[in-house]
Amino acid sequence: MLVSYLKDFHPYAKSSWRFVATVVPAVLIIAYYCHRKKQERLLENIWPLSKKSGAYLFLLLLRSFFGCSAVLLQYYSLKYMSLADSSTVAYSSPVFVSILAYFFLGEPFGIFSFLSTLIALAGVACITRPPFITGEKLDLELVVGVCFAFMCTIFRGVAIVIVRYLKKVHYSVVLFGFGTFGMVQSLVLAWSYQVMDLPNTPIDITLTVGMGLLSCVGQICLVLALKAENAGPVALVRTCDVVFAFIWQMVFLRKIPDFYSVLGGCVVLLGVLLAAFRKYIETLDPTHSHRRWFGFVLN
């Protein structure tokens, strides 16, 4: 919501501020663990360099690339579409996380999961307002925004799966790698396109600091969550962002979502809720009555 409100600044500039605000706390956390908790070996899984640690370093680099690119893509999408529409598309990632987790982490994925994926994609298609549904001319700017948000979904899904694989690496190291890569990437792009503006009014500075701190805390919570739970369920919980996006948009941005935004959001959430229901059945004891009645969703 704060990113959407700072509409006078280029996405590269806003992402630069966000990643700087991620690196600084990461450095402070690392310093704390190094000096106050010397028994903590922060680099034990990535140093000294070996075949195993090299693989972790490579995955850390990939996670940073996909995670940072997802941030940039979503910021770009906000130039062409509303906060609610962008969040609905960008946070439909659980359906893709389930597919990726099936191939790379061995997490289950069946016919029911496939159907929930198709439903979520139908919701994304609805948000694009195709002419055969609305009877109106196709909004090319909206299509561009949906494309950016959809690419963000794919990249974010890959990043979540990689973070889950990196669960043995200390969260502060993952956070530092993500923030540093994103900061360098964003600053280079902002400098190349000469769009590196700085906030110069009290309200812009306040919003920028808030955006950076909230982003940093969100990343810390995401990494810690993926250390404790599978990638699929964590991605499912993150879809609550869609609900808050609709609320923030109406309360703070004074913009009421239209029929197709609400319909698309409901369809996407239906796909996500079906996937969540499958996860609930999966966690039940085999003798539980609900699992006997709804066991077919595990196929």
Side-chain angles (χ1 to χ4, degrees):
M1 191 273 290
L2 295 180
V3 173
S4 182
Y5 194 87
L6 291 165
K7 58 185 177 181
D8 295 331
F9 298 94
H10 196 277
Y12 291 156
K14 289 185 281 191
S15 62
S16 299
W17 309 334
R18 176 239 172 95
F19 287 119
V20 169
T22 301
V23 170
V24 173
V27 171
L28 295 177
I29 294 171
I30 290 174
Y32 168 78
Y33 277 103
C34 288
H35 293 283
R36 296 293 299 275
K37 294 188 175 184
K38 295 183 179 180
Q39 71 274 18
E40 289 274 358
R41 299 182 58 189
L42 300 183
L43 304 179
E44 62 179 348
N45 289 303
I46 60 175
W47 193 264
L49 195 62
S50 64
K51 185 176 180 179
K52 184 178 179 180
S53 63
Y56 276 122
L57 279 172
F58 177 70
L59 288 174
L60 187 60
L61 181 63
L62 280 182
R63 179 267 184 274
S64 301
F65 169 75
F66 282 107
C68 299
S69 299
V71 171
L72 288 171
L73 288 166
Q74 187 172 19
Y75 285 9
Y76 253 113
S77 73
L78 290 169
K79 292 182 63 178
Y80 302 97
M81 61 197 304
S82 69
L83 170 64
D85 286 350
S86 173
S87 296
T88 299
V89 178
Y91 283 92
S92 60
S93 57
V95 290
F96 301 102
V97 169
S98 297
I99 296 173
L100 293 169
Y102 169 75
F103 286 105
F104 297 104
L105 300 178
E107 296 182 14
F109 183 81
I111 297 175
F112 194 81
S113 299
F114 177 72
L115 291 176
S116 65
T117 301
L118 291 181
I119 292 173
L121 289 175
V124 172
C126 184
I127 290 174
T128 63
R129 297 163 177 78
F132 67 86
I133 293 179
T134 64
E136 302 174 355
K137 185 178 179 181
L138 186 65
D139 187 341
L140 293 180
E141 280 203 357
L142 180 60
V143 172
V144 171
V146 169
C147 289
F148 279 128
F150 189 74
M151 290 171 63
C152 167
T153 298
I154 303 299
F155 278 50
R156 181 170 284 147
V158 174
I160 288 175
V161 171
I162 294 176
V163 172
R164 173 61 179 169
Y165 194 86
L166 291 170
K167 61 183 179 180
K168 293 184 179 180
V169 179
H170 197 273
Y171 76 92
S172 62
V173 177
V174 177
L175 185 69
F176 177 77
F178 171 71
T180 303
F181 188 98
M183 181 178 65
V184 173
Q185 181 186 37
S186 300
L187 288 174
V188 169
L189 289 171
W191 177 81
S192 300
Y193 287 90
Q194 298 182 344
V195 293
M196 191 58 222
D197 299 323
L198 295 175
N200 51 19
T201 64
I203 187 170
D204 285 345
I205 294 173
T206 302
L207 293 174
T208 300
V209 172
M211 176 189 69
L213 292 177
L214 289 173
S215 299
C216 180
V217 173
Q219 281 297 314
I220 292 175
C221 292
L222 173 64
V223 174
L224 292 176
L226 287 166
K227 287 180 176 295
E229 180 56 277
N230 288 337
V234 172
L236 283 171
V237 175
R238 291 193 80 199
T239 56
C240 293
D241 188 276
V242 176
V243 178
F244 289 112
F246 275 93
I247 297 173
W248 300 158
Q249 178 175 297
M250 290 186 290
V251 174
F252 296 103
L253 303 180
R254 306 294 183 185
K255 187 173 183 180
I256 306 299
D258 62 18
F259 171 77
Y260 296 103
S261 293
V262 175
L263 178 62
C266 289
V267 173
V268 170
L269 285 176
L270 174 61
V272 173
L273 288 173
L274 288 175
F277 178 69
R278 183 188 183 282
K279 177 62 181 178
Y280 163 71
I281 297 299
E282 183 185 359
T283 58
L284 295 177
D285 188 90
T287 60
H288 197 284
S289 60
H290 288 176
R291 181 152 183 168
R292 292 199 302 268
W293 277 99
F294 300 103
F296 65 90
V297 303
L298 300 177
N299 296 327

